[in-house]
Amino acid sequence: MSRRNEKLRWQLVSGVLQTLHLERLTAKYSATAVMAVFNLVNSGFSIALVAVLALVTQEAFIFPSLGATAFILFHVPMAQAASPRNVLCGHFIGAVMGLASLYTFGLHDAPSAFLTGVDVARVGAVAMAMGLTGCLMVALDMVHPPAGATALIVSLGLMPHLEQLPVLMAGVFLLLAHAFAINRLAGIAYPLWSSRHQGAKSMHART
């Protein structure tokens, strides 16, 4: 799997460079250096897009766990965790479980834990949010590790309002749109929804 991922990473980088007529860089510099700079540009640019939208609208489109998602989308684009299905559903599960934990422990109107510190109720909220997020992602075959951070962000009170959920998901969607464009530009068959590997795994599990 690691060799396959390495091959896909190089295909992504070299494909984009070829489209931009910059393929000479692959001969001048080492593959590691080229791929590192590629991740620097694409991860930074994708997060900048979301951050600019947040700046213009003054809405919470940008949140910490998007950074981990951006890295996965450009480093292992064909991994199951990088598929649009897993990214969207994973973050949605994390956010909803975070909100559910706030309401369960009566913290939906409480200030952020970063302002007031952690009390017993907050311990219960973060434990519930993370536990349910991990459970549901595995049970539904929608694993996306950065979604665990989303569950904690919400349950710690950084994004505690239900009306922030569509904004949060819009930020995830914008990141995915950029990843889709870059991967397809490079000739990588980045899926519209789920990976073929994921579909085959689900069918095998049912049999």
Side-chain angles (χ1 to χ4, degrees), residues 63-66 68-69 72 86-87 89-98 101 125-135 137 142-156:
F63 52 96
S65 50
L66 282 186
T69 294
I72 289 174
N86 285 48
V87 174
C89 294
H91 280 294
F92 181 78
I93 290 170
V96 170
M97 293 304 101
S101 73
V126 296
M128 173 183 170
M130 188 63 234
L132 287 176
T133 297
C135 174
M137 285 197 299
M142 295 175 174
V143 174
H144 182 64
T150 299
L152 293 181
I153 288 165
V154 175
S155 60
L156 285 168

Side-chain angles (χ1 to χ4, degrees), residues 1 4 78-80 141 194-202:
M1 180 60 71
R4 178 175 179 270
M78 295 304 290
Q80 179 179 337
D141 193 23
S194 62
S195 66
R196 285 175 292 182
H197 169 73
Q198 186 173 36
K201 180 180 177 181
S202 298

